[in-house]
Structure formats: structure tokens, C-alpha cells
Tab-separated table of all heavy atoms in Angstrom:
chain	number	residue	atom	x	y	z
A	30	ASN	N	-3.037	19.821	25.897
A	30	ASN	CA	-1.892	20.243	25.089
A	30	ASN	C	-1.748	21.821	24.869
A	30	ASN	O	-0.650	22.256	24.838
A	30	ASN	CB	-2.097	19.569	23.654
A	30	ASN	CG	-1.789	18.026	23.742
A	30	ASN	OD1	-1.176	17.602	24.580
A	30	ASN	ND2	-2.317	17.468	22.682
A	31	VAL	N	-2.969	22.497	24.869
A	31	VAL	CA	-2.886	23.913	24.856
A	31	VAL	C	-2.231	24.493	26.002
A	31	VAL	O	-1.438	25.398	25.990
A	31	VAL	CB	-4.322	24.417	24.676
A	31	VAL	CG1	-4.329	26.000	24.865
A	31	VAL	CG2	-4.835	24.156	23.285
A	32	LYS	N	-2.538	23.960	27.271
A	32	LYS	CA	-1.915	24.363	28.456
A	32	LYS	C	-0.439	24.143	28.413
A	32	LYS	O	0.383	25.039	28.761
A	32	LYS	CB	-2.478	23.566	29.661
A	32	LYS	CG	-3.829	24.027	30.080
A	32	LYS	CD	-3.884	25.172	30.966
A	32	LYS	CE	-5.264	25.444	31.581
A	32	LYS	NZ	-5.154	26.597	32.504
A	33	ILE	N	-0.021	22.898	27.959
A	33	ILE	CA	1.422	22.611	27.913
A	33	ILE	C	2.174	23.635	26.910
A	33	ILE	O	3.212	24.165	27.267
A	33	ILE	CB	1.674	21.151	27.407
A	33	ILE	CG1	1.082	20.185	28.380
A	33	ILE	CG2	3.117	20.906	27.131
A	33	ILE	CD1	1.846	20.230	29.780
A	34	ASP	N	1.605	23.798	25.820
A	34	ASP	CA	2.207	24.692	24.762
A	34	ASP	C	2.335	26.124	25.291
A	34	ASP	O	3.213	26.818	25.022
A	34	ASP	CB	1.416	24.734	23.501
A	34	ASP	CG	1.584	23.409	22.766
A	34	ASP	OD1	2.543	22.604	23.014
A	34	ASP	OD2	0.716	23.079	21.885
A	35	SER	N	1.249	26.558	26.066
A	35	SER	CA	1.278	27.917	26.617
A	35	SER	C	2.362	28.120	27.590
A	35	SER	O	3.129	29.214	27.507
A	35	SER	CB	-0.035	28.176	27.215
A	35	SER	OG	0.033	29.443	27.877
A	36	VAL	N	2.671	27.108	28.404
A	36	VAL	CA	3.653	27.195	29.401
A	36	VAL	C	5.059	27.069	28.751
A	36	VAL	O	6.098	27.839	29.062
A	36	VAL	CB	3.502	26.152	30.472
A	36	VAL	CG1	4.766	26.043	31.416
A	36	VAL	CG2	2.332	26.436	31.359
A	37	LYS	N	5.123	26.194	27.750
A	37	LYS	CA	6.430	26.085	27.046
A	37	LYS	C	6.794	27.424	26.381
A	37	LYS	O	7.953	27.813	26.429
A	37	LYS	CB	6.216	24.996	25.985
A	37	LYS	CG	7.621	24.696	25.287
A	37	LYS	CD	7.519	23.520	24.371
A	37	LYS	CE	8.826	23.135	23.671
A	37	LYS	NZ	8.793	21.935	22.902
A	38	ASN	N	5.812	28.132	25.809
A	38	ASN	CA	6.121	29.394	25.157
A	38	ASN	C	6.569	30.470	26.167
A	38	ASN	O	7.515	31.278	25.958
A	38	ASN	CB	4.909	29.897	24.435
A	38	ASN	CG	4.560	29.117	23.175
A	38	ASN	OD1	5.414	28.438	22.668
A	38	ASN	ND2	3.247	29.134	22.811
A	39	LYS	N	5.873	30.462	27.405
A	39	LYS	CA	6.321	31.415	28.372
A	39	LYS	C	7.712	31.178	28.916
A	39	LYS	O	8.499	32.154	29.059
A	39	LYS	CB	5.330	31.269	29.576
A	39	LYS	CG	3.968	31.853	29.402
A	39	LYS	CD	3.119	31.625	30.669
A	39	LYS	CE	1.744	32.265	30.454
A	39	LYS	NZ	0.893	32.041	31.694
A	40	LEU	N	8.028	29.868	29.059
A	40	LEU	CA	9.375	29.575	29.516
A	40	LEU	C	10.441	29.862	28.514
A	40	LEU	O	11.512	30.434	28.892
A	40	LEU	CB	9.452	28.007	29.821
A	40	LEU	CG	8.692	27.586	31.166
A	40	LEU	CD1	8.637	26.085	31.297
A	40	LEU	CD2	9.141	28.276	32.446
A	41	ASN	N	10.220	29.622	27.305
A	41	ASN	CA	11.131	29.924	26.211
A	41	ASN	C	11.329	31.388	26.098
A	41	ASN	O	12.412	31.911	25.774
A	41	ASN	CB	10.787	29.219	24.898
A	41	ASN	CG	11.122	27.819	24.929
A	41	ASN	OD1	12.129	27.423	25.414
A	41	ASN	ND2	10.261	26.976	24.350
A	42	GLU	N	10.230	32.171	26.240
A	42	GLU	CA	10.206	33.684	26.048
A	42	GLU	C	11.087	34.160	27.217
A	42	GLU	O	11.892	35.135	27.071
A	42	GLU	CB	8.817	34.265	26.175
A	42	GLU	CG	8.096	34.038	24.807
A	42	GLU	CD	6.685	34.427	24.933
A	42	GLU	OE1	6.219	35.009	25.957
A	42	GLU	OE2	5.854	34.177	24.026
A	43	LEU	N	10.849	33.707	28.485
A	43	LEU	CA	11.641	34.141	29.623
A	43	LEU	C	13.037	33.970	29.424
A	43	LEU	O	13.979	34.783	29.635
A	43	LEU	CB	11.101	33.413	30.863
A	43	LEU	CG	11.774	33.788	32.205
A	43	LEU	CD1	11.637	35.339	32.518
A	43	LEU	CD2	11.332	32.950	33.317
A	44	LEU	N	13.445	32.703	28.921
A	44	LEU	CA	14.871	32.380	28.642
A	44	LEU	C	15.402	33.328	27.573
A	44	LEU	O	16.566	33.825	27.822
A	44	LEU	CB	15.082	30.947	28.284
A	44	LEU	CG	16.416	30.515	27.891
A	44	LEU	CD1	17.312	30.586	29.136
A	44	LEU	CD2	16.449	29.049	27.431
A	45	SER	N	14.680	33.594	26.595
A	45	SER	CA	15.133	34.477	25.487
A	45	SER	C	15.340	35.923	26.009
A	45	SER	O	16.319	36.479	25.640
A	45	SER	CB	14.206	34.476	24.318
A	45	SER	OG	14.614	35.318	23.344
A	46	GLU	N	14.488	36.379	26.908
A	46	GLU	CA	14.549	37.781	27.374
A	46	GLU	C	15.849	37.943	28.260
A	46	GLU	O	16.408	38.987	28.311
A	46	GLU	CB	13.315	38.117	28.223
A	46	GLU	CG	12.039	38.265	27.507
A	46	GLU	CD	10.811	38.284	28.406
A	46	GLU	OE1	11.081	38.274	29.715
A	46	GLU	OE2	9.687	38.378	27.873
A	47	LYS	N	16.192	36.876	28.986
A	47	LYS	CA	17.346	36.957	29.836
A	47	LYS	C	18.650	37.125	29.093
A	47	LYS	O	19.603	37.734	29.510
A	47	LYS	CB	17.406	35.801	30.857
A	47	LYS	CG	16.245	35.646	31.767
A	47	LYS	CD	16.203	36.939	32.725
A	47	LYS	CE	15.043	36.786	33.718
A	47	LYS	NZ	15.038	37.907	34.606
A	48	ASN	N	18.667	36.405	27.848
A	48	ASN	CA	19.885	36.642	27.052
A	48	ASN	C	21.207	36.361	27.748
A	48	ASN	O	22.123	37.105	27.709
A	48	ASN	CB	19.779	37.977	26.388
A	48	ASN	CG	20.847	38.149	25.224
A	48	ASN	OD1	21.065	37.101	24.562
A	48	ASN	ND2	21.381	39.349	25.011
A	49	PHE	N	21.224	35.148	28.436
A	49	PHE	CA	22.410	34.746	29.116
A	49	PHE	C	23.522	34.508	28.138
A	49	PHE	O	23.429	33.791	27.158
A	49	PHE	CB	22.257	33.503	29.982
A	49	PHE	CG	21.144	33.709	31.051
A	49	PHE	CD1	19.904	33.013	31.077
A	49	PHE	CD2	21.317	34.610	32.058
A	49	PHE	CE1	19.007	33.136	32.059
A	49	PHE	CE2	20.403	34.807	33.084
A	49	PHE	CZ	19.229	34.041	33.024
A	50	ASN	N	24.750	34.979	28.526
A	50	ASN	CA	25.888	34.789	27.644
A	50	ASN	C	26.656	33.558	27.972
A	50	ASN	O	27.864	33.570	28.214
A	50	ASN	CB	26.836	36.089	27.843
A	50	ASN	CG	27.921	36.110	26.770
A	50	ASN	OD1	27.729	35.531	25.721
A	50	ASN	ND2	28.978	36.711	27.177
A	51	GLN	N	25.937	32.487	27.996
A	51	GLN	CA	26.524	31.159	28.302
A	51	GLN	C	25.846	30.206	27.352
A	51	GLN	O	24.707	29.755	27.649
A	51	GLN	CB	26.342	30.744	29.691
A	51	GLN	CG	27.205	31.350	30.738
A	51	GLN	CD	27.299	30.567	32.018
A	51	GLN	OE1	27.275	29.280	31.983
A	51	GLN	NE2	27.452	31.214	33.014
A	52	GLU	N	26.512	29.818	26.317
A	52	GLU	CA	25.869	28.905	25.281
A	52	GLU	C	25.524	27.530	25.867
A	52	GLU	O	24.436	27.054	25.565
A	52	GLU	CB	26.815	28.742	24.033
A	52	GLU	CG	26.179	27.968	22.996
A	52	GLU	CD	27.191	27.863	21.722
A	52	GLU	OE1	28.277	28.535	21.803
A	52	GLU	OE2	26.867	27.136	20.766
A	53	THR	N	26.410	27.020	26.640
A	53	THR	CA	26.217	25.703	27.259
A	53	THR	C	24.868	25.729	28.122
A	53	THR	O	24.042	24.859	27.974
A	53	THR	CB	27.438	25.215	28.160
A	53	THR	OG1	28.537	25.166	27.346
A	53	THR	CG2	27.048	23.930	28.795
A	54	PHE	N	24.779	26.786	28.909
A	54	PHE	CA	23.576	26.786	29.778
A	54	PHE	C	22.345	27.078	28.989
A	54	PHE	O	21.332	26.288	29.143
A	54	PHE	CB	23.658	27.922	30.814
A	54	PHE	CG	22.397	28.115	31.513
A	54	PHE	CD1	21.938	27.277	32.442
A	54	PHE	CD2	21.492	29.180	31.147
A	54	PHE	CE1	20.663	27.418	33.134
A	54	PHE	CE2	20.285	29.366	31.821
A	54	PHE	CZ	19.907	28.474	32.765
A	55	ASN	N	22.365	27.861	27.954
A	55	ASN	CA	21.244	28.110	27.151
A	55	ASN	C	20.713	26.872	26.458
A	55	ASN	O	19.556	26.562	26.405
A	55	ASN	CB	21.501	29.177	26.143
A	55	ASN	CG	21.619	30.595	26.756
A	55	ASN	OD1	20.948	30.828	27.730
A	55	ASN	ND2	22.442	31.496	26.098
A	56	ASP	N	21.700	26.092	25.865
A	56	ASP	CA	21.289	24.832	25.238
A	56	ASP	C	20.740	23.805	26.256
A	56	ASP	O	19.741	23.144	25.983
A	56	ASP	CB	22.494	24.211	24.561
A	56	ASP	CG	22.940	25.057	23.337
A	56	ASP	OD1	22.157	25.833	22.916
A	56	ASP	OD2	24.163	24.827	22.933
A	57	MET	N	21.361	23.774	27.437
A	57	MET	CA	20.823	22.762	28.482
A	57	MET	C	19.494	23.155	28.927
A	57	MET	O	18.613	22.342	29.200
A	57	MET	CB	21.860	22.630	29.560
A	57	MET	CG	23.185	21.943	29.207
A	57	MET	SD	24.337	21.737	30.587
A	57	MET	CE	23.460	20.488	31.581
A	58	GLU	N	19.248	24.420	29.104
A	58	GLU	CA	18.020	24.909	29.571
A	58	GLU	C	16.931	24.729	28.641
A	58	GLU	O	15.775	24.413	29.082
A	58	GLU	CB	18.091	26.393	30.044
A	58	GLU	CG	16.788	27.014	30.612
A	58	GLU	CD	16.452	26.447	32.003
A	58	GLU	OE1	17.177	25.595	32.516
A	58	GLU	OE2	15.349	26.747	32.399
A	59	LYS	N	17.158	24.938	27.398
A	59	LYS	CA	16.152	24.655	26.398
A	59	LYS	C	15.731	23.229	26.481
A	59	LYS	O	14.532	22.851	26.370
A	59	LYS	CB	16.638	25.030	25.010
A	59	LYS	CG	16.742	26.448	24.790
A	59	LYS	CD	17.399	26.870	23.376
A	59	LYS	CE	17.573	28.260	23.160
A	59	LYS	NZ	18.242	28.584	21.885
A	60	SER	N	16.679	22.328	26.652
A	60	SER	CA	16.372	20.901	26.758
A	60	SER	C	15.693	20.579	28.092
A	60	SER	O	14.766	19.795	28.060
A	60	SER	CB	17.771	20.120	26.675
A	60	SER	OG	18.393	20.258	25.380
A	61	ARG	N	16.079	21.288	29.192
A	61	ARG	CA	15.379	21.004	30.419
A	61	ARG	C	13.923	21.370	30.290
A	61	ARG	O	13.053	20.649	30.837
A	61	ARG	CB	16.054	21.841	31.476
A	61	ARG	CG	15.543	21.550	32.938
A	61	ARG	CD	16.250	22.344	33.999
A	61	ARG	NE	15.818	23.640	34.082
A	61	ARG	CZ	15.036	24.081	35.067
A	61	ARG	NH1	14.473	23.261	35.973
A	61	ARG	NH2	14.573	25.331	35.143
A	62	ILE	N	13.577	22.524	29.695
A	62	ILE	CA	12.253	22.884	29.483
A	62	ILE	C	11.464	21.800	28.680
A	62	ILE	O	10.362	21.386	29.083
A	62	ILE	CB	12.154	24.222	28.742
A	62	ILE	CG1	12.667	25.390	29.655
A	62	ILE	CG2	10.737	24.548	28.326
A	62	ILE	CD1	12.916	26.733	28.956
A	63	ASP	N	12.151	21.369	27.636
A	63	ASP	CA	11.513	20.288	26.847
A	63	ASP	C	11.249	19.122	27.570
A	63	ASP	O	10.095	18.506	27.532
A	63	ASP	CB	12.348	20.084	25.548
A	63	ASP	CG	11.564	19.287	24.561
A	63	ASP	OD1	10.470	19.482	24.216
A	63	ASP	OD2	12.219	18.177	24.184
A	64	TYR	N	12.251	18.630	28.277
A	64	TYR	CA	12.128	17.337	28.996
A	64	TYR	C	11.044	17.474	30.174
A	64	TYR	O	10.269	16.565	30.410
A	64	TYR	CB	13.408	16.895	29.694
A	64	TYR	CG	14.539	16.566	28.734
A	64	TYR	CD1	15.909	16.975	29.005
A	64	TYR	CD2	14.255	15.774	27.604
A	64	TYR	CE1	16.878	16.658	28.096
A	64	TYR	CE2	15.263	15.403	26.715
A	64	TYR	CZ	16.587	15.785	26.990
A	64	TYR	OH	17.632	15.425	26.099
A	65	SER	N	11.036	18.560	30.765
A	65	SER	CA	10.103	18.897	31.896
A	65	SER	C	8.619	18.677	31.413
A	65	SER	O	7.822	18.080	32.028
A	65	SER	CB	10.333	20.177	32.524
A	65	SER	OG	9.301	20.499	33.404
A	66	LEU	N	8.419	19.318	30.324
A	66	LEU	CA	6.997	19.348	29.813
A	66	LEU	C	6.581	17.996	29.086
A	66	LEU	O	5.480	17.515	29.062
A	66	LEU	CB	6.793	20.477	28.802
A	66	LEU	CG	6.961	21.937	29.484
A	66	LEU	CD1	6.749	23.029	28.425
A	66	LEU	CD2	5.940	22.052	30.594
A	67	LYS	N	7.664	17.337	28.571
A	67	LYS	CA	7.453	15.967	28.052
A	67	LYS	C	7.147	14.985	29.115
A	67	LYS	O	6.218	14.051	28.901
A	67	LYS	CB	8.636	15.507	27.206
A	67	LYS	CG	8.745	15.916	25.770
A	67	LYS	CD	9.845	15.289	25.138
A	67	LYS	CE	9.802	15.523	23.585
A	67	LYS	NZ	9.763	16.822	23.070
A	68	SER	N	7.634	15.199	30.248
A	68	SER	CA	7.261	14.410	31.388
A	68	SER	C	5.812	14.545	31.858
A	68	SER	O	5.125	13.571	32.115
A	68	SER	CB	8.197	14.742	32.597
A	68	SER	OG	9.470	14.302	32.430
A	69	LEU	N	5.294	15.771	31.734
A	69	LEU	CA	3.864	15.944	31.999
A	69	LEU	C	3.104	15.294	30.944
A	69	LEU	O	1.988	14.632	31.264
A	69	LEU	CB	3.563	17.474	32.021
A	69	LEU	CG	4.353	18.279	33.106
A	69	LEU	CD1	3.856	19.731	33.073
A	69	LEU	CD2	4.076	17.766	34.525
A	70	GLN	N	3.462	15.423	29.712
A	70	GLN	CA	2.744	14.704	28.594
A	70	GLN	C	2.758	13.206	28.846
A	70	GLN	O	1.781	12.543	28.504
A	70	GLN	CB	3.317	15.012	27.217
A	70	GLN	CG	3.100	16.477	26.777
A	70	GLN	CD	3.811	16.713	25.458
A	70	GLN	OE1	4.995	17.111	25.503
A	70	GLN	NE2	3.100	16.510	24.390
């Protein structure tokens, strides 16, 4: 779980740093990150 949380934080930080001006993509990407790591769990 520590490994999963660490990668989740990295991915969300990277997305936040990019600051894409597309609300639809940002929302879908946050969900994609969550689904991807839930699949590993």
C-alpha cells in the first residue's frame, strides 16, 4: 500500500504541475490514475 500511495502521489503531482487548461481531461486523468492503481490493488 505504501508503494501504491507513493506512485499515486507522484502521478497526481505530475498532473498538477502540467496545469493543463482542459477541465474534461484533468477530471478524466485523475480518474484514470485512480482506476489504474485500484486495478493493482
Side-chain angles (χ1 to χ4, degrees):
N30 288 339
V31 168
K32 287 275 190 181
I33 295 294
D34 289 342
S35 173
V36 170
K37 186 173 185 177
N38 289 336
K39 286 181 181 178
L40 291 172
N41 283 321
E42 287 173 8
L43 179 62
L44 178 61
S45 179
E46 289 171 4
K47 295 299 181 180
N48 193 28
F49 296 118
N50 189 27
Q51 281 199 36
E52 183 177 353
T53 298
F54 171 74
N55 288 331
D56 290 344
M57 291 181 72
E58 180 63 7
K59 289 175 185 176
S60 296
R61 187 177 82 100
I62 291 170
D63 188 53
Y64 293 139
S65 174
L66 297 178
K67 274 186 167 61
S68 290
L69 298 182
Q70 288 177 275

